[in-house]
mmCIF file of all heavy atoms in Angstrom:
data_model
loop_
_atom_site.group_PDB
_atom_site.id
_atom_site.type_symbol
_atom_site.label_atom_id
_atom_site.label_comp_id
_atom_site.label_asym_id
_atom_site.label_seq_id
_atom_site.Cartn_x
_atom_site.Cartn_y
_atom_site.Cartn_z
ATOM 1 N N VAL K 1632 -4.936 1.154 -12.583
ATOM 2 C CA VAL K 1632 -5.478 -0.077 -11.999
ATOM 3 C C VAL K 1632 -4.434 -1.191 -12.078
ATOM 4 O O VAL K 1632 -3.955 -1.519 -13.170
ATOM 5 C CB VAL K 1632 -6.751 -0.544 -12.722
ATOM 6 C CG1 VAL K 1632 -7.357 -1.749 -11.997
ATOM 7 C CG2 VAL K 1632 -7.765 0.577 -12.822
ATOM 8 N N ALA K 1633 -4.076 -1.740 -10.922
ATOM 9 C CA ALA K 1633 -3.276 -2.966 -10.855
ATOM 10 C C ALA K 1633 -4.237 -4.068 -10.411
ATOM 11 O O ALA K 1633 -4.646 -4.096 -9.246
ATOM 12 C CB ALA K 1633 -2.121 -2.808 -9.871
ATOM 13 N N TYR K 1634 -4.612 -4.945 -11.328
ATOM 14 C CA TYR K 1634 -5.698 -5.884 -11.041
ATOM 15 C C TYR K 1634 -5.329 -6.913 -9.979
ATOM 16 O O TYR K 1634 -6.197 -7.329 -9.197
ATOM 17 C CB TYR K 1634 -6.149 -6.562 -12.331
ATOM 18 C CG TYR K 1634 -6.948 -5.638 -13.214
ATOM 19 C CD1 TYR K 1634 -6.364 -4.971 -14.288
ATOM 20 C CD2 TYR K 1634 -8.295 -5.388 -12.948
ATOM 21 C CE1 TYR K 1634 -7.100 -4.094 -15.074
ATOM 22 C CE2 TYR K 1634 -9.035 -4.512 -13.725
ATOM 23 C CZ TYR K 1634 -8.433 -3.869 -14.789
ATOM 24 O OH TYR K 1634 -9.160 -2.997 -15.559
ATOM 25 N N SER K 1635 -4.075 -7.324 -9.916
ATOM 26 C CA SER K 1635 -3.643 -8.209 -8.827
ATOM 27 C C SER K 1635 -2.139 -8.102 -8.661
ATOM 28 O O SER K 1635 -1.383 -8.240 -9.633
ATOM 29 C CB SER K 1635 -4.024 -9.666 -9.092
ATOM 30 O OG SER K 1635 -3.475 -10.516 -8.087
ATOM 31 N N LEU K 1636 -1.726 -7.876 -7.413
ATOM 32 C CA LEU K 1636 -0.303 -7.828 -7.096
ATOM 33 C C LEU K 1636 0.258 -9.191 -6.745
ATOM 34 O O LEU K 1636 1.447 -9.320 -6.433
ATOM 35 C CB LEU K 1636 -0.060 -6.856 -5.935
ATOM 36 C CG LEU K 1636 -0.459 -5.400 -6.183
ATOM 37 C CD1 LEU K 1636 -0.097 -4.536 -4.980
ATOM 38 C CD2 LEU K 1636 0.186 -4.857 -7.437
ATOM 39 N N GLY K 1637 -0.596 -10.233 -6.794
ATOM 40 C CA GLY K 1637 -0.106 -11.573 -6.471
ATOM 41 C C GLY K 1637 0.226 -11.715 -4.997
ATOM 42 O O GLY K 1637 -0.187 -10.923 -4.156
ATOM 43 N N ASN K 1638 1.010 -12.723 -4.695
ATOM 44 C CA ASN K 1638 1.403 -12.991 -3.308
ATOM 45 C C ASN K 1638 2.625 -12.183 -2.920
ATOM 46 O O ASN K 1638 3.506 -11.908 -3.738
ATOM 47 C CB ASN K 1638 1.735 -14.465 -3.117
ATOM 48 C CG ASN K 1638 0.502 -15.330 -2.994
ATOM 49 O OD1 ASN K 1638 -0.609 -14.843 -2.813
ATOM 50 N ND2 ASN K 1638 0.684 -16.638 -3.105
ATOM 51 N N PHE K 1639 2.682 -11.848 -1.659
ATOM 52 C CA PHE K 1639 3.913 -11.353 -1.055
ATOM 53 C C PHE K 1639 4.521 -12.552 -0.319
ATOM 54 O O PHE K 1639 5.103 -13.421 -0.945
ATOM 55 C CB PHE K 1639 3.626 -10.160 -0.159
ATOM 56 C CG PHE K 1639 4.837 -9.391 0.258
ATOM 57 C CD1 PHE K 1639 5.727 -8.910 -0.693
ATOM 58 C CD2 PHE K 1639 5.095 -9.105 1.591
ATOM 59 C CE1 PHE K 1639 6.861 -8.181 -0.325
ATOM 60 C CE2 PHE K 1639 6.214 -8.376 1.980
ATOM 61 C CZ PHE K 1639 7.092 -7.921 1.022
ATOM 62 N N LEU K 1640 4.340 -12.659 0.993
ATOM 63 C CA LEU K 1640 4.858 -13.810 1.738
ATOM 64 C C LEU K 1640 3.780 -14.883 1.862
ATOM 65 O O LEU K 1640 2.643 -14.592 2.223
ATOM 66 C CB LEU K 1640 5.313 -13.373 3.134
ATOM 67 C CG LEU K 1640 5.809 -14.457 4.077
ATOM 68 C CD1 LEU K 1640 7.095 -15.085 3.562
ATOM 69 C CD2 LEU K 1640 6.018 -13.888 5.479
ATOM 70 N N SER K 1641 4.137 -16.134 1.579
ATOM 71 C CA SER K 1641 3.231 -17.268 1.760
ATOM 72 C C SER K 1641 4.058 -18.540 1.642
ATOM 73 O O SER K 1641 5.266 -18.484 1.387
ATOM 74 C CB SER K 1641 2.121 -17.267 0.696
ATOM 75 O OG SER K 1641 2.564 -17.866 -0.506
ATOM 76 N N SER K 1642 3.403 -19.689 1.790
ATOM 77 C CA SER K 1642 4.082 -20.953 1.479
ATOM 78 C C SER K 1642 3.256 -21.757 0.486
ATOM 79 O O SER K 1642 3.231 -22.984 0.531
ATOM 80 C CB SER K 1642 4.344 -21.769 2.753
ATOM 81 O OG SER K 1642 3.126 -22.245 3.318
ATOM 82 N N GLN K 1643 2.572 -21.043 -0.421
ATOM 83 C CA GLN K 1643 1.825 -21.746 -1.460
ATOM 84 C C GLN K 1643 2.778 -22.538 -2.343
ATOM 85 O O GLN K 1643 3.996 -22.420 -2.231
ATOM 86 C CB GLN K 1643 0.972 -20.761 -2.258
ATOM 87 C CG GLN K 1643 -0.269 -20.323 -1.480
ATOM 88 C CD GLN K 1643 -1.312 -19.643 -2.357
ATOM 89 O OE1 GLN K 1643 -1.113 -18.512 -2.772
ATOM 90 N NE2 GLN K 1643 -2.405 -20.331 -2.614
ATOM 91 N N LEU K 1644 2.232 -23.318 -3.250
ATOM 92 C CA LEU K 1644 3.013 -24.383 -3.863
ATOM 93 C C LEU K 1644 3.472 -24.121 -5.291
ATOM 94 O O LEU K 1644 4.564 -24.542 -5.672
ATOM 95 C CB LEU K 1644 2.191 -25.685 -3.837
ATOM 96 C CG LEU K 1644 1.566 -26.064 -2.491
ATOM 97 C CD1 LEU K 1644 0.732 -27.328 -2.620
ATOM 98 C CD2 LEU K 1644 2.633 -26.219 -1.415
ATOM 99 N N ASP K 1645 2.650 -23.494 -6.107
ATOM 100 C CA ASP K 1645 2.960 -23.389 -7.535
ATOM 101 C C ASP K 1645 3.967 -22.275 -7.825
ATOM 102 O O ASP K 1645 4.052 -21.295 -7.082
ATOM 103 C CB ASP K 1645 1.682 -23.146 -8.334
ATOM 104 C CG ASP K 1645 0.782 -24.367 -8.347
ATOM 105 O OD1 ASP K 1645 1.263 -25.455 -8.739
ATOM 106 O OD2 ASP K 1645 -0.397 -24.253 -7.953
ATOM 107 N N ASN K 1646 4.678 -22.429 -8.939
ATOM 108 C CA ASN K 1646 5.703 -21.443 -9.288
ATOM 109 C C ASN K 1646 5.123 -20.030 -9.435
ATOM 110 O O ASN K 1646 5.725 -19.051 -8.996
ATOM 111 C CB ASN K 1646 6.464 -21.861 -10.543
ATOM 112 C CG ASN K 1646 5.559 -22.252 -11.703
ATOM 113 O OD1 ASN K 1646 4.340 -22.057 -11.675
ATOM 114 N ND2 ASN K 1646 6.162 -22.830 -12.752
ATOM 115 N N PHE K 1647 3.928 -19.916 -10.028
ATOM 116 C CA PHE K 1647 3.358 -18.578 -10.217
ATOM 117 C C PHE K 1647 2.915 -17.948 -8.903
ATOM 118 O O PHE K 1647 2.768 -16.722 -8.814
ATOM 119 C CB PHE K 1647 2.192 -18.612 -11.215
ATOM 120 C CG PHE K 1647 1.126 -19.629 -10.914
ATOM 121 C CD1 PHE K 1647 0.165 -19.393 -9.938
ATOM 122 C CD2 PHE K 1647 1.081 -20.827 -11.608
ATOM 123 C CE1 PHE K 1647 -0.818 -20.322 -9.656
ATOM 124 C CE2 PHE K 1647 0.088 -21.771 -11.339
ATOM 125 C CZ PHE K 1647 -0.858 -21.527 -10.358
ATOM 126 N N ASN K 1648 2.696 -18.752 -7.858
ATOM 127 C CA ASN K 1648 2.365 -18.203 -6.542
ATOM 128 C C ASN K 1648 3.565 -17.526 -5.880
ATOM 129 O O ASN K 1648 3.405 -16.778 -4.917
ATOM 130 C CB ASN K 1648 1.869 -19.294 -5.602
ATOM 131 C CG ASN K 1648 0.560 -19.926 -6.026
ATOM 132 O OD1 ASN K 1648 0.396 -21.142 -5.939
ATOM 133 N ND2 ASN K 1648 -0.382 -19.128 -6.497
ATOM 134 N N MET K 1649 4.754 -17.803 -6.385
ATOM 135 C CA MET K 1649 5.981 -17.263 -5.789
ATOM 136 C C MET K 1649 6.297 -15.852 -6.271
ATOM 137 O O MET K 1649 7.148 -15.175 -5.711
ATOM 138 C CB MET K 1649 7.183 -18.164 -6.124
ATOM 139 C CG MET K 1649 7.051 -19.617 -5.693
ATOM 140 S SD MET K 1649 6.781 -19.787 -3.916
ATOM 141 C CE MET K 1649 5.070 -20.333 -3.876
ATOM 142 N N ILE K 1650 5.620 -15.403 -7.332
ATOM 143 C CA ILE K 1650 5.964 -14.138 -7.978
ATOM 144 C C ILE K 1650 4.946 -13.074 -7.597
ATOM 145 O O ILE K 1650 3.745 -13.244 -7.809
ATOM 146 C CB ILE K 1650 5.996 -14.292 -9.513
ATOM 147 C CG1 ILE K 1650 6.780 -15.552 -9.909
ATOM 148 C CG2 ILE K 1650 6.588 -13.046 -10.151
ATOM 149 C CD1 ILE K 1650 8.164 -15.636 -9.298
ATOM 150 N N GLY K 1651 5.426 -11.981 -7.032
ATOM 151 C CA GLY K 1651 4.540 -10.909 -6.607
ATOM 152 C C GLY K 1651 4.921 -9.587 -7.237
ATOM 153 O O GLY K 1651 6.019 -9.409 -7.771
ATOM 154 N N GLY K 1652 4.000 -8.642 -7.173
ATOM 155 C CA GLY K 1652 4.246 -7.298 -7.678
ATOM 156 C C GLY K 1652 4.396 -6.303 -6.549
ATOM 157 O O GLY K 1652 3.654 -6.359 -5.561
ATOM 158 N N MET K 1653 5.352 -5.412 -6.687
ATOM 159 C CA MET K 1653 5.525 -4.294 -5.769
ATOM 160 C C MET K 1653 5.253 -3.030 -6.586
ATOM 161 O O MET K 1653 6.110 -2.551 -7.319
ATOM 162 C CB MET K 1653 6.934 -4.287 -5.175
ATOM 163 C CG MET K 1653 7.185 -3.152 -4.188
ATOM 164 S SD MET K 1653 8.880 -3.172 -3.511
ATOM 165 C CE MET K 1653 8.721 -4.465 -2.263
ATOM 166 N N LEU K 1654 4.032 -2.535 -6.490
ATOM 167 C CA LEU K 1654 3.627 -1.373 -7.269
ATOM 168 C C LEU K 1654 4.187 -0.107 -6.628
ATOM 169 O O LEU K 1654 3.909 0.175 -5.459
ATOM 170 C CB LEU K 1654 2.101 -1.297 -7.354
ATOM 171 C CG LEU K 1654 1.526 -0.147 -8.176
ATOM 172 C CD1 LEU K 1654 1.866 -0.313 -9.649
ATOM 173 C CD2 LEU K 1654 0.007 -0.059 -7.987
ATOM 174 N N CYS K 1655 4.965 0.653 -7.398
ATOM 175 C CA CYS K 1655 5.576 1.881 -6.901
ATOM 176 C C CYS K 1655 5.145 3.051 -7.790
ATOM 177 O O CYS K 1655 5.158 2.938 -9.018
ATOM 178 C CB CYS K 1655 7.095 1.776 -6.928
ATOM 179 S SG CYS K 1655 7.763 0.379 -6.000
ATOM 180 N N PHE K 1656 4.768 4.144 -7.177
ATOM 181 C CA PHE K 1656 4.447 5.356 -7.924
ATOM 182 C C PHE K 1656 4.527 6.550 -6.981
ATOM 183 O O PHE K 1656 4.513 6.402 -5.761
ATOM 184 C CB PHE K 1656 3.046 5.274 -8.566
ATOM 185 C CG PHE K 1656 1.915 5.099 -7.600
ATOM 186 C CD1 PHE K 1656 1.229 6.196 -7.078
ATOM 187 C CD2 PHE K 1656 1.528 3.828 -7.189
ATOM 188 C CE1 PHE K 1656 0.180 6.030 -6.185
ATOM 189 C CE2 PHE K 1656 0.475 3.643 -6.297
ATOM 190 C CZ PHE K 1656 -0.205 4.751 -5.790
ATOM 191 N N ASP K 1657 4.620 7.729 -7.583
ATOM 192 C CA ASP K 1657 4.598 8.971 -6.810
ATOM 193 C C ASP K 1657 3.271 9.682 -7.039
ATOM 194 O O ASP K 1657 2.744 9.683 -8.151
ATOM 195 C CB ASP K 1657 5.725 9.908 -7.244
ATOM 196 C CG ASP K 1657 7.069 9.521 -6.666
ATOM 197 O OD1 ASP K 1657 7.139 8.503 -5.971
ATOM 198 O OD2 ASP K 1657 8.044 10.236 -6.940
ATOM 199 N N ILE K 1658 2.776 10.289 -5.980
ATOM 200 C CA ILE K 1658 1.672 11.252 -6.101
ATOM 201 C C ILE K 1658 2.310 12.636 -6.072
ATOM 202 O O ILE K 1658 3.068 12.950 -5.155
ATOM 203 C CB ILE K 1658 0.670 11.125 -4.942
ATOM 204 C CG1 ILE K 1658 0.104 9.698 -4.866
ATOM 205 C CG2 ILE K 1658 -0.454 12.141 -5.095
ATOM 206 C CD1 ILE K 1658 -0.694 9.443 -3.610
ATOM 207 N N VAL K 1659 2.018 13.442 -7.073
ATOM 208 C CA VAL K 1659 2.591 14.779 -7.164
ATOM 209 C C VAL K 1659 1.458 15.797 -7.207
ATOM 210 O O VAL K 1659 0.519 15.665 -7.989
ATOM 211 C CB VAL K 1659 3.483 14.923 -8.408
ATOM 212 C CG1 VAL K 1659 4.018 16.342 -8.514
ATOM 213 C CG2 VAL K 1659 4.634 13.931 -8.351
ATOM 214 N N MET K 1660 1.545 16.793 -6.341
ATOM 215 C CA MET K 1660 0.578 17.895 -6.338
ATOM 216 C C MET K 1660 1.261 19.156 -6.838
ATOM 217 O O MET K 1660 2.309 19.545 -6.322
ATOM 218 C CB MET K 1660 0.013 18.120 -4.929
ATOM 219 C CG MET K 1660 -0.951 19.308 -4.844
ATOM 220 S SD MET K 1660 -1.483 19.662 -3.140
ATOM 221 C CE MET K 1660 -2.664 18.344 -2.879
ATOM 222 N N ASP K 1661 0.675 19.792 -7.854
ATOM 223 C CA ASP K 1661 1.259 21.026 -8.361
ATOM 224 C C ASP K 1661 0.775 22.224 -7.546
ATOM 225 O O ASP K 1661 0.009 22.077 -6.584
ATOM 226 C CB ASP K 1661 0.962 21.201 -9.859
ATOM 227 C CG ASP K 1661 -0.529 21.358 -10.157
ATOM 228 O OD1 ASP K 1661 -1.301 21.750 -9.257
ATOM 229 O OD2 ASP K 1661 -0.928 21.092 -11.311
ATOM 230 N N GLU K 1662 1.227 23.428 -7.942
ATOM 231 C CA GLU K 1662 0.916 24.615 -7.154
ATOM 232 C C GLU K 1662 -0.563 24.959 -7.140
ATOM 233 O O GLU K 1662 -1.037 25.688 -6.270
ATOM 234 C CB GLU K 1662 1.719 25.814 -7.672
ATOM 235 C CG GLU K 1662 1.446 26.195 -9.112
ATOM 236 C CD GLU K 1662 2.320 25.447 -10.105
ATOM 237 O OE1 GLU K 1662 2.883 24.396 -9.721
ATOM 238 O OE2 GLU K 1662 2.423 25.904 -11.254
ATOM 239 N N SER K 1663 -1.330 24.394 -8.105
ATOM 240 C CA SER K 1663 -2.766 24.663 -8.136
ATOM 241 C C SER K 1663 -3.554 23.692 -7.262
ATOM 242 O O SER K 1663 -4.764 23.842 -7.108
ATOM 243 C CB SER K 1663 -3.280 24.576 -9.580
ATOM 244 O OG SER K 1663 -3.273 23.229 -10.042
ATOM 245 N N GLY K 1664 -2.866 22.690 -6.699
ATOM 246 C CA GLY K 1664 -3.533 21.712 -5.847
ATOM 247 C C GLY K 1664 -4.006 20.479 -6.584
ATOM 248 O O GLY K 1664 -4.656 19.615 -5.991
ATOM 249 N N ARG K 1665 -3.688 20.378 -7.876
ATOM 250 C CA ARG K 1665 -4.067 19.196 -8.648
ATOM 251 C C ARG K 1665 -3.031 18.097 -8.478
ATOM 252 O O ARG K 1665 -1.827 18.364 -8.447
ATOM 253 C CB ARG K 1665 -4.230 19.545 -10.126
ATOM 254 C CG ARG K 1665 -5.466 20.387 -10.413
ATOM 255 C CD ARG K 1665 -5.537 20.785 -11.871
ATOM 256 N NE ARG K 1665 -5.596 19.636 -12.765
ATOM 257 C CZ ARG K 1665 -6.723 19.000 -13.078
ATOM 258 N NH1 ARG K 1665 -7.871 19.380 -12.527
ATOM 259 N NH2 ARG K 1665 -6.714 17.979 -13.912
#
Side-chain angles (χ1 to χ4, degrees):
V1632 185
Y1634 286 99
S1635 174
L1636 299 183
N1638 282 347
F1639 193 54
L1640 177 66
S1641 83
S1642 68
Q1643 284 195 287
L1644 311 177
D1645 290 305
N1646 50 10
F1647 52 79
N1648 295 138
M1649 303 302 110
I1650 313 307
M1653 181 180 281
L1654 182 67
C1655 303
F1656 60 92
D1657 281 3
I1658 303 170
V1659 177
M1660 177 186 284
D1661 64 22
E1662 61 272 18
S1663 70
R1665 289 176 60 84

